[in-house]
Amino acid sequence: MERKIRKAAVLGSGVMGAGIAAHLANVGIPTYLLDIVPRELTADESKKGLALTDPVVKNRIAQSGKDRLLKDKPTPFYDKKSLDLITVGNFEDHLPLLAEVDWIIEVVVENLQVKKSVFAQVEAHRKPGTIITSNTSGVSINEMAAGRSDDFRKHFCGTHFFNPPRYLKLLEIIPGDETDPAVVDFLMSFGERVLGKGTVLCKDTPNFIANRIGTYGLQVSIHELVRLGLGVDEVDALTGPVIGRPKSATFRTLDVVGLDTYVHVANNVKNKSSDEQERAVFEVPPFVLQMVEKRWIGQKAGQGFFKQVKSAQGKEIQALDIQTLEYRPSVKPKFPSLDAAKTAKSLPDKLKTLAYGKDKGSEFVWNVFKKVLLYSAEKAHEIADDIVAVDQAMKWGFGWELGPFETWDAIGVEKSVARMREEGEQIPALVEELLASGKTSFYQKNEGRLAAFSVGGVYKEIPQKKEVIDLAALKEQGKLIRKNAGAALVDLGDGVACLEFTSPNNALGMDVLQMAHIAAEEVQKNFLGLVIANQGKNFCVGMNLAMALMEAQDENWLELDMLVTNFHKAARSLRYMHRPVVAAPYAMTLGGGVEVVYLADRVQASAETYLGLVEVGVGLLPGGGGTKEMLFRAMENVPEGGSMAVDSFPFVAKAFETIAMAKVSTSGQDAINLGYLRPTDRISINPDHLLYDAKQLVLEMDREGYTPPSPRKIRVIGETGYATLRQNIYAMKKSGYLSDHDELILSKIAYVMSGGSLPAGTEVTEDYILGLEKQAFLELIKTQKSQQRMQHMLTKNKPLRN
């Protein structure tokens, strides 16, 4: 019988435990969140006359964990309604509930004896066959399972989520010596399919994979910081996006993690290692211990390596001087190698520029790279089955763009090893074996298929799951149909094509619209249907704003009119062709990106999709059909019959507010709540499966006998509705919420969504509303203040209030 997780229990309601419970609720799994019983009353509880035996007191710790979820930012929920799936309780009264669940996740303090005590209680209540896992960052799985029953040990392993559980992709699965392989296989698959994670199989070694390599890298960075006399702000400039790492880089990352947590993780390796050199690296420097003593442990304490202070200019970020333990203003680092790296075109070029430079900044980067790469190669097969697991763990857990072995390939294995030898380093056997075999890279690619170097001197092809479709690999395999400067048409197989944006930031320009027309023609002739998708950083952040501003400043109104007209034509060609179209948005999907989504019959959105019609931020209104579509979708929700004015105005007003306030969804589900997506649209929890899921939806629509939609008509709220919206806008203006230009923009949106100067109840077509929308767009882009807003967004990357 196929195993399923219908209900779960999380033991421990701290930041991590509550976060895991929230993510289980995100995917529809009812979850018990249990914690210890308080030993004393709070002042408030005493004032209310409560006793330690009262349920509200006994559940207080777990309830506090649940309540905190609603305050956490970013939100741990796709939809806050999911909070209702979490039921709180305590270890004294509610452990019998464990007999109901299919998965028990322990998330108590990182102490072996405490964990073993909890598992003794769990065993008294769980039913045989229930999976039990520990969300530990480094406590031995085998030591935790010692002394438990055969059935317990068979169904026990580690499941190490990374914080915050909703957002960080990595889930490390760590089996014990007696864990049933079927349980491991199930969790690897369940974590990927249902929880949307990148699951990595680890060995039961200190800190497993990601924390082992990541903490080593952080320790090496601290040692090099001290040795070279650099500032923490200088190191963060060298170890952030320029080398394919998150903006938090090194020391901001430590502030986010918390220095107390970091010290615990570092000591975990030091105390369990028998290698003196390794123990020396994991020795926490005295100044870090002083910071922990002072409770300067990072963001949760308000200060760590950085702190925010008020200054004459507003808020200022200051950096800690590790010599004096005093804060100073942050400085902009001056390293020629860093400046050169920032202008390099590709990440490998950036890495080589920094690693092989001649200044103190490049010396730092080289020494950190060198030590981390050597350590990764030395420990790879101790902590994992292959180098792929190591690279994936670092990318998914620490946000590295390239894992250690991919980094080694990027800077050149032969060149870097030659320099390491010159510097007296001992080269690990894995690397010696690679070079001895005549190969010069850890990865090889053949027709889009990737293989990784393995022990024994052979390359093993990395299995490609059918649910993971790689557009770049398909193009390498000859599946490219057509392309131009801004878009491509790719054959996904099984009769489905993909319209892919390839322009910088996936911005919309004439080339993208041209490819949309080509796609419509090609798909109608030779394919069953079309997916609109890509695999860049974001789905689409809107039109090419720089191009639109340039045309406006040159007063090329005819060109701008043509741009909007061509967008409408592209929409019509895709919307009414005799083949199904599915859009697959993810990440930032803003402005024109939302309007692209509206070209499709159905949407397969990623759970992490942030949709928003945000044009008001640049002084415009959605001019590519977005205003029209929000109006028509709002009218779909109006009950049939009854008074037109009474029944439809609230729906139009809500859609107007969504555009006027430039609301952006916090998830795919929230996009449904805001009206950007329909309840019938689908959501993929795992972003790697998004393109596959969208393709399957196209095939499903084709099998069901697809017929294109008919042009729609609605009855508008007309002049009376417009007057009411204008009253609301005026009230906001009088209250100081709107500038004169804000009032103009919102009035234009209200006019379009009311249907213009028509009596309420007049029936209009989509083309009629599109005409109003285009006219309003062109009128706004001609104004100086809208052009100022566009310019400010392009130069400052934030909206201007003028």
Side-chain angles (χ1 to χ4, degrees), residues 604-753:
Q604 183 78 46
S606 170
E608 299 299 343
T609 306
Y610 318 119
L611 287 109
L613 291 168
V614 295
E615 283 84 350
V616 294
V618 290
L620 303 171
L621 90 171
T627 310
K628 178 271 298 181
E629 190 62 26
M630 285 295 282
L631 171 62
F632 272 72
R633 290 185 178 211
M635 299 301 281
E636 290 173 1
N637 299 315
V638 177
E640 291 187 18
S643 166
M644 191 272 161
V646 171
D647 289 340
S648 62
F649 181 82
F651 295 94
V652 177
K654 182 182 177 184
F656 165 78
E657 181 183 306
T658 299
I659 297 176
M661 303 298 289
K663 293 182 179 179
V664 178
S665 72
T666 57
S667 67
Q669 180 59 50
D670 191 42
I672 294 174
N673 298 341
L674 289 174
Y676 287 127
L677 300 182
R678 293 185 171 101
T680 52
D681 289 327
R682 297 182 181 179
I683 294 174
S684 297
I685 303 299
N686 191 321
D688 292 342
H689 297 180
L690 178 61
L691 192 48
Y692 173 83
D693 293 342
K695 174 183 170 181
Q696 298 312 304
L697 181 52
V698 168
L699 294 172
E700 179 184 318
M701 294 168 71
D702 176 68
R703 285 193 300 271
E704 291 173 352
Y706 174 78
T707 54
S710 301
R712 298 168 292 173
K713 293 181 179 180
I714 58 166
R715 295 188 183 278
V716 295
I717 59 174
E719 291 176 309
T720 54
Y722 174 62
T724 305
L725 288 175
R726 283 286 291 124
Q727 286 175 351
N728 295 340
I729 294 168
Y730 181 73
M732 292 175 68
K733 169 81 178 307
K734 292 295 286 182
S735 300
Y737 289 109
L738 302 178
S739 67
D740 288 343
H741 199 57
D742 292 328
E743 182 184 20
L744 174 65
I745 298 164
L746 268 55
S747 297
K748 296 284 187 187
I749 297 169
Y751 186 77
V752 175
M753 299 190 81

Side-chain angles (χ1 to χ4, degrees), residues 194-210:
V194 180
L195 299 180
K197 297 299 174 188
T199 52
V200 171
L201 188 63
C202 306
K203 295 181 180 179
D204 187 17
T205 55
N207 290 2
F208 315 128
I209 298 176

Side-chain angles (χ1 to χ4, degrees), residues 112 116 119 140-149 152-153 156 176 178:
L112 176 62
K116 286 175 73 71
F119 289 134
S140 169
I141 304 303
N142 287 307
E143 289 179 21
M144 281 190 278
R148 303 269 63 83
S149 67
F152 188 105
R153 295 197 306 275
F156 178 72
E178 298 176 62

Side-chain angles (χ1 to χ4, degrees), residues 306-372:
F306 297 92
K307 77 170 180 178
Q308 186 173 280
V309 298
K310 290 182 180 179
S311 67
Q313 290 74 38
K315 293 177 181 177
E316 177 188 353
I317 302 295
Q318 293 191 339
L320 183 70
D321 184 320
I322 64 164
Q323 302 296 330
T324 64
L325 288 190
E326 294 179 354
Y327 290 92
R328 57 164 176 76
S330 294
V331 298
K332 188 176 181 180
K334 296 178 180 179
F335 301 120
S337 61
L338 178 60
D339 295 336
K342 287 179 178 177
T343 62
K345 290 185 177 181
S346 68
L347 181 56
D349 287 339
K350 292 177 190 292
L351 297 180
K352 283 182 276 196
T353 301
L354 266 175
Y356 298 125
K358 300 296 182 184
D359 54 46
K360 190 181 286 190
S362 60
E363 183 182 354
F364 172 88
V365 171
W366 165 255
N367 282 330
V368 171
F369 275 4
K370 175 179 71 172
K371 291 173 182 177
V372 171

Side-chain angles (χ1 to χ4, degrees), residues 219 222 225-226 231-233 236 250-263 284-307 318-328:
Q219 283 291 100
I222 291 174
L225 164 92
V226 174
V232 295
D233 40 6
D236 273 11
T250 299
F251 291 101
R252 287 185 194 276
T253 294
L254 285 169
D255 277 355
V256 171
V257 170
L259 268 69
D260 51 345
T261 302
Y262 167 70
V263 168
V284 178
F287 76 87
V288 175
L289 296 177
Q290 283 181 265
M291 291 173 68
V292 173
E293 285 176 20
K294 291 173 177 283
R295 299 300 294 167
W296 296 357
I297 56 175
Q299 278 187 1
K300 56 190 174 185
Q303 66 186 103
F305 287 106
F306 297 92
K307 77 170 180 178
Q318 293 191 339
L320 183 70
D321 184 320
I322 64 164
Q323 302 296 330
T324 64
L325 288 190
E326 294 179 354
Y327 290 92
R328 57 164 176 76

Side-chain angles (χ1 to χ4, degrees), residues 8-59:
V10 176
L11 310 181
S13 63
V15 171
M16 202 68 206
I20 292 171
H23 194 57
L24 292 172
N26 278 336
V27 298
I29 299 174
T31 302
Y32 292 118
L33 181 62
L34 310 182
D35 213 317
I36 59 173
V37 171
R39 294 176 182 169
E40 56 186 32
L41 296 171
T42 64
D44 188 54
E45 287 167 343
S46 297
K47 194 181 295 183
K48 291 178 180 178
L50 296 172
L52 286 172
T53 53
D54 286 318
V56 68
V57 175
K58 297 182 84 173
N59 293 341

Side-chain angles (χ1 to χ4, degrees), residues 214-258:
T215 306
Y216 183 90
L218 291 168
Q219 283 291 100
V220 166
S221 298
I222 291 174
H223 294 325
E224 287 299 311
L225 164 92
V226 174
R227 187 180 72 82
L228 293 171
L230 295 173
V232 295
D233 40 6
E234 291 179 301
V235 167
D236 273 11
L238 291 164
T239 56
V242 72
I243 63 168
R245 306 284 172 83
K247 288 181 180 179
S248 56
T250 299
F251 291 101
R252 287 185 194 276
T253 294
L254 285 169
D255 277 355
V256 171
V257 170

